[in-house]
Amino acid sequence: MKRKLYIAGVVLYALVCLPALVQAAEMYMVLDKANVATDGTFTGTVYVSSVGAPINNAESTLTFPSNLMSVNSVSTAGSIFNIWVEQPTFSNSDGVIYFNGGLPTPGYSGNAGQALKVSFKAKNPGTGDIIFTAPIVRANDGNGTDILTEARGGRIAIGNSEPTPTVSEPIAVGPKAPVITSVDMPLATAWYNKTQATFSWNVPSDVTMARLILSVSTDAAPSINYNPAISSKTLTDLSEGVQYLNVRFKNAVGWGKIASRKIQIDLSDPEDVSVKTSVTADDLIAIDASAKDTMSGIRNYLAYVDGVEIGSKNASADGSAQFNLPPLPEGKYKVVVRAYDLAGNNTQTEVSAEAPAIKTPRITHYPEYIITGSKIEIRGKAPYGEGEIAIWIKQDGKDAQRFVVKPDEDKIFLYTSDTLADSGNVTVWAQTLRTPQIESAASDKIHISVKDSDVVVIGTKALQTISIVITVVLLAFGLITLFYLGIRRFNAAKRKLRRERVHTEQQIHKVFEMLKGDTRRHVKLLEAASMRRKLTKEESKILAELTENLKETEEYLKETVKEPKD
């Protein structure tokens, strides 16, 4: 039972006490002497301690009795702070010292971090207290949260006074400055185009009153009291410009530190919006925009085509911006450009622009032919540094196939095909793909021959040669056979003709001899008659004609009827 109570106690301590320790910071002064003679000097060193939570700033006002002591000098040598909003100051007439030092991230975390040293001079006998007034130690959390939990000054005995401890008892600290938040305006550094917002803060249990003011200055002291303290405030009819909501709390000790929340309102649209267009070397439409906004300043520009946002650019310090629109298909466009200020107010203008035709890629290297079983390697130059290249391959008797490659930084693209098994012709062309939907026309087509290998070619040629030789031989044999048969038939016909001619000649000679014999008999009869008597005129004529006909017939037969030769 005791063990369970012990564990519960440890857990309760961790839940209640540890968060406070993590956020704890202290500021205190250590004097190098407990007492000092009149006209003597002594030194007070201000230290800052932070347990767990790094700090990046500390400030405070120290008060001292100016009738008992004065400040000789204030030194920041050896300080943990290296950024000073202003160098530490002091006034011996008012008896005050003020410092405000900081350091960059990651800040400081540890015990006894020296902030500054103060050299004092004792003036008159007595006991003097050096007291911290409104001390602040800010955490390195991006919000400047005050995590100071305790501040201790110093006490010195001057002349014949009894010495007292060099470190005084802890002094009470008033309420911390509230942390002001807003759902309507969540960022203090942002601009808003609204006139109403609600601001909230947590009210500690010991706070009895709150005091507020809306002012154009962070130094304005809150003057409107709320008793009991309120935890939120809705502000209406906020005016354009920069203003501050200052809030502070009061508890039994007194008024605490002031929290100041910045409020930035801009209700006016940008003015003098100017837009110029041009075409870049990469065939993109370039936008050169400028505008003015005297309140919050120009934040960015948006470009629209057909109501669709296609480009944007943050404005530079002078309110201008230069940017390129994404690739567009060839044609004329109406481009709407809107200028936005930091509060979201906008003014738009419309300009005309023309997107040029997309350039085609150029195939620079390719083989005139390849052997079956090989691959085609294509190399070329893309017209642009971005986008992709579509390679088209068309083989005889097959549909064209599309392959996509990306150019390198020098705009060179490479493509290697799969192995081609069939011989024939291949046609190749390319297209530029600026986007998957925006492409160029086809490039010039190239033609590549796919041939069989040498072994196959030689074998094929050998077979073709053998086939031709066999065909020629067979043809020759056939021709010879036909010629031989023709000669035989011709000779047989010749012999037959010769026999027929001989027979005909014999018959002709036979007939001729018969005719000649008859003619000769008639001639002899006429000649015999002429010796007995004088032939009549007609008989003389017949004798002459028969004699002449007989002579001509013999000569004709000699010329036309000849014996055939073998």
Side-chain angles (χ1 to χ4, degrees):
M1 182 65 181
K2 290 182 178 181
R3 179 178 178 83
K4 291 182 179 180
L5 290 175
Y6 172 76
I7 294 175
V10 171
V11 172
L12 180 63
Y13 173 80
L15 293 175
V16 175
C17 300
L18 288 183
L21 292 176
V22 171
Q23 297 294 324
E26 296 179 347
M27 184 183 297
Y28 55 92
M29 173 177 277
V30 175
L31 302 177
D32 64 342
K33 297 176 182 178
N35 53 48
V36 63
T38 304
D39 294 330
T41 60
F42 61 97
T43 301
T45 303
V46 177
Y47 292 97
V48 176
S49 295
S50 174
V51 180
I55 64 169
N56 62 8
N57 174 262
E59 68 171 309
S60 182
T61 297
L62 293 90
T63 61
F64 59 89
S66 58
N67 62 323
L68 298 181
M69 64 186 76
S70 63
V71 175
N72 290 327
S73 63
V74 178
S75 174
T76 59
S79 174
I80 61 173
F81 301 118
N82 53 25
I83 299 174
W84 296 92
V85 177
E86 57 180 311
Q87 290 297 316
T89 59
F90 63 89
S91 172
N92 285 322
S93 60
D94 295 332
V96 295
I97 304 168
Y98 174 76
F99 72 92
N100 188 348
L103 73 163
T105 300
Y108 171 80
S109 179
N111 293 315
Q114 179 180 312
L116 73 162
K117 286 185 177 182
V118 183
S119 175
F120 293 95
K121 179 180 180 181
K123 294 167 58 178
N124 296 304
T127 299
D129 290 324
I130 305 171
I131 301 172
F132 288 101
T133 303
I136 299 174
V137 177
R138 296 183 174 91
N140 186 41
D141 59 1
N143 297 317
T145 304
D146 183 9
I147 60 172
L148 180 66
T149 58
E150 186 177 355
R152 300 189 301 273
R155 176 173 292 178
I156 186 77
I158 302 174
N160 296 324
S161 300
E162 292 294 327
T164 56
T166 58
V167 180
S168 65
E169 293 297 323
I171 62 174
V173 179
K176 294 181 182 179
V179 178
I180 304 172
T181 61
S182 174
V183 175
D184 301 316
M185 298 182 180
L187 297 177
T189 56
W191 287 83
Y192 298 92
N193 58 357
K194 58 180 70 174
T195 59
Q196 178 174 316
T198 299
F199 297 87
S200 304
W201 50 84
N202 291 324
V203 179
S205 59
D206 64 333
V207 169
T208 58
M209 185 182 295
R211 183 174 286 175
L212 283 68
I213 192 172
L214 182 65
S215 173
V216 295
S217 172
T218 58
D219 297 330
S223 57
I224 302 174
N225 294 326
Y226 292 89
N227 187 4
I230 59 175
S231 60
S232 66
K233 179 66 177 178
T234 298
L235 302 178
T236 59
D237 298 325
L238 291 169
S239 60
E240 194 172 47
V242 179
Q243 50 210 306
Y244 300 88
L245 174 62
N246 298 337
V247 181
R248 71 189 309 187
F249 291 150
K250 182 182 180 182
N251 62 8
V253 176
W255 289 102
K257 305 177 184 67
I258 299 173
S260 183
R261 170 61 191 265
K262 190 176 186 180
I263 303 171
Q264 302 184 115
I265 307 296
D266 182 359
L267 304 175
S268 302
D269 294 332
E271 300 176 337
D272 299 334
V273 180
S274 173
V275 177
K276 298 178 181 179
T277 64
S278 59
V279 177
T280 69
D282 285 340
D283 294 333
L284 299 176
I285 296 176
I287 301 295
D288 186 353
S290 63
K292 293 181 180 179
D293 191 271
T294 57
M295 186 59 65
S296 61
I298 301 299
R299 181 184 66 195
N300 68 325
Y301 295 87
L302 298 180
Y304 299 82
V305 170
D306 296 332
V308 178
E309 180 186 337
I310 63 170
S312 64
K313 182 71 173 181
N314 290 334
S316 57
D318 63 358
S320 65
Q322 295 76 39
F323 59 102
N324 297 333
L325 299 183
L328 293 171
E330 179 183 6
K332 296 181 179 180
Y333 296 89
K334 294 293 185 182
V335 181
V336 174
V337 178
R338 292 178 185 168
Y340 287 82
D341 63 20
L342 291 172
N345 306 301
N346 72 88
T347 301
Q348 73 178 38
T349 187
E350 183 179 273
V351 294
S352 297
E354 184 171 358
I358 300 172
K359 294 184 178 70
T360 59
R362 183 166 49 93
I363 299 175
T364 57
H365 296 81
Y366 62 93
E368 293 184 0
Y369 71 90
I370 64 169
I371 303 301
T372 54
S374 303
K375 300 179 180 180
I376 295 176
E377 293 186 356
I378 301 295
R379 182 179 180 183
K381 184 81 171 181
Y384 312 111
E386 37 69 43
E388 296 175 316
I389 301 296
I391 305 294
W392 290 88
I393 304 293
K394 174 69 171 68
Q395 294 179 265
D396 287 344
K398 297 182 179 179
D399 294 334
Q401 291 183 294
R402 181 175 181 262
F403 305 91
V404 177
V405 297
K406 192 168 185 65
D408 62 17
E409 58 185 9
D410 297 322
K411 303 181 182 179
I412 302 299
F413 65 86
L414 300 172
Y415 168 74
T416 301
S417 72
D418 294 333
T419 301
L420 300 182
D422 300 327
S423 61
N425 293 318
V426 176
T427 303
V428 181
W429 66 94
Q431 286 179 290
T432 300
L433 303 179
R434 301 219 73 172
T435 69
Q437 294 78 30
I438 303 176
E439 59 187 29
S440 72
S443 68
D444 293 337
K445 294 182 178 181
I446 62 172
H447 302 282
I448 301 171
S449 177
V450 182
K451 301 180 179 181
D452 291 326
S453 64
D454 292 341
V455 174
V456 175
V457 171
I458 292 173
T460 302
K461 288 185 176 180
L463 290 175
Q464 291 175 347
T465 302
I466 291 172
S467 177
I468 291 172
V469 169
I470 291 174
T471 302
V472 170
V473 170
L474 292 175
L475 181 60
F477 179 77
L479 291 174
I480 291 172
T481 301
L482 290 175
F483 181 75
Y484 172 74
L485 294 174
I487 292 296
R488 287 191 62 183
R489 289 184 179 182
F490 175 77
N491 289 336
K494 185 178 179 182
R495 285 192 297 269
K496 181 178 179 182
L497 179 62
R498 185 174 56 186
R499 288 192 300 268
E500 290 176 352
R501 289 185 64 182
V502 171
H503 177 70
T504 301
E505 185 181 23
Q506 290 174 352
Q507 294 296 322
I508 292 172
H509 277 282
K510 184 177 180 180
V511 172
F512 177 73
E513 289 297 332
M514 292 174 65
L515 291 174
K516 187 170 68 173
D518 289 342
T519 301
R520 285 178 184 273
R521 283 193 301 272
H522 285 91
V523 171
K524 286 180 178 182
L525 290 174
L526 288 174
E527 287 177 350
S530 66
M531 293 183 66
R532 290 190 305 268
R533 62 178 176 86
K534 185 179 180 179
L535 297 176
T536 65
K537 190 174 182 178
E538 289 182 359
E539 290 176 338
S540 297
K541 184 179 179 181
I542 290 171
L543 177 60
E545 288 178 359
L546 289 173
T547 304
E548 182 66 26
N549 287 337
L550 182 61
K551 182 179 179 180
E552 289 179 359
T553 300
E554 288 179 346
E555 290 178 357
Y556 175 77
L557 289 174
K558 290 179 180 180
E559 291 294 329
T560 58
V561 181
K562 296 181 179 180
E563 184 179 358
K565 296 181 180 180
D566 294 334

